[in-house]
Amino acid sequence: MTNTHKDFSQVGLKDEEEDFIDILEDRRHSSDLSFAFRTFSPQPYKVAPPCSTAELNRVVLESQFLRYVTKEVAVEMDLSVEEVQEEARGILGEMSQNLQLGFIRLMAYTFNKVFKRLYSSIFVNMEGLNRLHQATQENPVILMPNHRSYIDFLVISYIMFLYDIPIPVIAAGIPLAGMKIVGEILRRSGAFFIRRAIGSDKLYWAVLSEYVRTIVRKGFAPLEFFVEGFRSRTLKSVSPKLGMMHMVLEPFFKGEVFDITLLPISISYDRVLEESLLAHELLGVPKPKESTMGLLKASRVLSENYGCMHVNFGRPLSVRQLCEGRINRCQYNLIPRDLPEKPTAEAQACVSWLAHLVVRNQEQGSQISPWSLMCGLLLQVPTRVLTEEGFPWHQLTEKTLWLRKLALDFGGRLNWPDGVPDSDVMSSTATLHRGIVQCKAGRVFLVQQDEPARTHPVRPEEGVMKTAAAALMLVSYRNQCLHVFVRPALLATAMHITKSTQRDELLAFFSFLQDVFSYEFIFIPGESLQDFEEACRLLKKCGAIHANQQEVAAAQGGMEVLSFLQELLKPFIHSYQLVFRYLCEAESDILTEKEFGLAVRGLATKLLLTGKKCFHAFSLNS
Ligand SMILES: CCCCCCCCCCCCCCCC(=O)SCCNC(=O)CCNC(=O)[C@H](O)C(C)(C)COP(=O)(O)OP(=O)(O)OC[C@H]1O[C@@H](n2cnc3c(N)ncnc32)[C@H](O)[C@@H]1OP(=O)(O)O
Ligand SMILES: O=C(CO)COP(=O)(O)O
């Protein structure tokens, strides 16, 4: 764990393709019970002994930091110190995990059965696991997966159990704690529960941050959290949340631990379990409340096939190496470590940079399915053709193979099975997604979706909404491959709009587009020039442009690539224009984020009903 870190931070993340193995293969030939009762003997973290739940909670409550904040809150709220301490104890009781191996075994038994039913394969990169194995013994490890499905945290703990790696404790949204029986099972399987919007609750922030820091300092188990903060409804990466990231890094900033290892994990699904629910949420159907009853009702998903899943454990990132030259840790020596303090601008920038770097690593480690490429192409076909006439299958095949080559040229990791004829890959992909597209007489049609659970009488606009749901699923699956194309697409758009061939002018416009779309796509702060250079390199590599130190120009024969890329970005530009138009015309100058989201969705629905196909506007991150 030395040189690899340095290289990784500098070159921005690329590593060699690694081999994946299907971990379900052996599980299918052995009993669920023997799996659940297998010997579990992870190598412990070499610096510190294991730590019980009671001990962890005691250390948090007795910390100098919490004592100090408790006194402050008591004065501010005109309460006694004992009363505030009691409240802090209550918060910790609501929050704390109670990991027990017996419950992990119970979950192992259950999910061994569930996974074998849902998935044909779960592919894992063993080299990544070996690196993680090593890392857990050396430094506190933070597992940072992307978040697309409830399956994410289940599969990671399952893999840890299977390969004798310490089971992580996981930050979970508080609604999961409220599920009868299940909430407690999750707590005993390692979940610690955090409130969603903490706002200005000083005592809550203090308990949570001390709890997280103590887990990191003690390092007895990996800490897992979803830096995106929720399941991405659009299947596109979400801008990282910084609260927990900051808490996790603080012990390093303050010199309380020598180093911390961040481990990006990319989980890619052929078919996402919640695909239809997520599309309907984008259209404004409220998310069903997390409940045990809801979970039991959802068990019908077990009868369907969700294809394969890839879990790619990325390269461990050494915070110590990455922060070199970015943060002056001496400043932390000037104030007592146990006193609360506002993070400096330098620390905030460093936290944000690291969080973006991790999400970018997650993107680069994700596997792109043939379906994602097909969706990218189908979305460039007018919706009317897809719903009424159908799009010729042979043309879709031809174009998908063309796009596969482009994605590979751009460095994407493709999950395209070897040794299977391309036509078979395409048709089995379409079969897996027959809830979204159907092939009839050599043409592909968009299927019209039913709402997952109808709770109201049939509305006149339902037909339009059904098509929109299917189209939104195409959009979401297309989004899974966007990170591969987005930089070249920004450059293609800059070339098209500015009509310039001057490198400086193109760079300026490229940077402007990056600013506009900074919540839509993941760009590492301060790396605009590197992104531009990368876009030039990739477009040059595939023969779409000529570029030298002064000029960038379209190459003869480059138009097919350039116009595909422009078309890819167009729906985002149109959707943003729609939003800007709304803002210009809005009666109120001040809108909350929620009001704004509702208003834009309302406007997009109105446009949909008048026949304008603006379903992309439902699928914005921001
Ligand atoms: C074998 C098989 C086994 C199977 C075994 C199964 C295992 C089964 C386990 C289940 C496990 C489930 C797992 C579910 C998965 C999720 O539930 S994902 C959702 C939960 N996780 C997360 O959200 C993590 C990421 N989120 C964050 O980091 C967020 O920042 C937080 C910490 C939640 C806070 O969110 P927030 O309140 O929205 O706050 P945020 O926007 O970050 O900041 C708000 C303000 O507070 C300020 N602030 C930040 N930090 C502080 C601070 N320390 N003090 C004071 N103010 C602060 C900020 O500066 C900001 O100020 P402004 O800039 O607005 O002025
Ligand atoms: O993240 C969650 C648990 O996985 C729950 O929150 P969301 O439903 O907003 O994703």
Side-chain angles (χ1 to χ4, degrees), residues 104 107-108 111 147 153-154 157-158 161 170-173 176 186 189-191 194-199 205 208-209 225-227 229-230 241-245 247 348:
I104 293 295
M107 297 291 261
F111 285 98
H147 201 11
F153 47 83
L154 297 168
S157 292
Y158 176 86
F161 179 67
I170 312 169
L176 291 174
L186 296 180
S189 306
I194 57 178
R195 294 184 193 161
R196 268 308 171 71
I198 302 167
W205 275 114
L208 175 60
S209 53
F225 77 101
F226 295 93
V227 71
F230 50 82
K241 287 229 167 212
L242 305 181
M244 185 137 314
M245 188 75 184
M247 293 171 207
Q348 277 173 328

Side-chain angles (χ1 to χ4, degrees), residues 40 105 143 167 184 195 237 256 265 268 279 303 306 330 342 354-355 361 370 378 384 395 406 416 495 503 537:
F40 178 66
R105 293 193 186 283
L143 302 178
I167 305 291
E184 194 50 38
R195 294 184 193 161
S237 300
E256 294 165 332
I265 304 174
S268 319
S303 59
Y306 290 85
C330 297
K342 247 188 119 40
L354 275 172
N361 270 259
L378 287 173
R384 192 191 47 77
Q395 268 190 44
L406 189 65
W416 195 290
M495 290 167 70
R503 212 180 167 97
R537 182 178 61 76

Side-chain angles (χ1 to χ4, degrees), residues 573-591:
I573 296 179
H574 289 162
S575 303
Y576 268 53
Q577 282 170 335
L578 185 79
V579 171
F580 293 147
R581 192 167 345 127
Y582 171 77
L583 283 176
C584 293
E585 291 165 7
E587 281 164 17
S588 168
D589 285 345
I590 303 170
L591 286 169

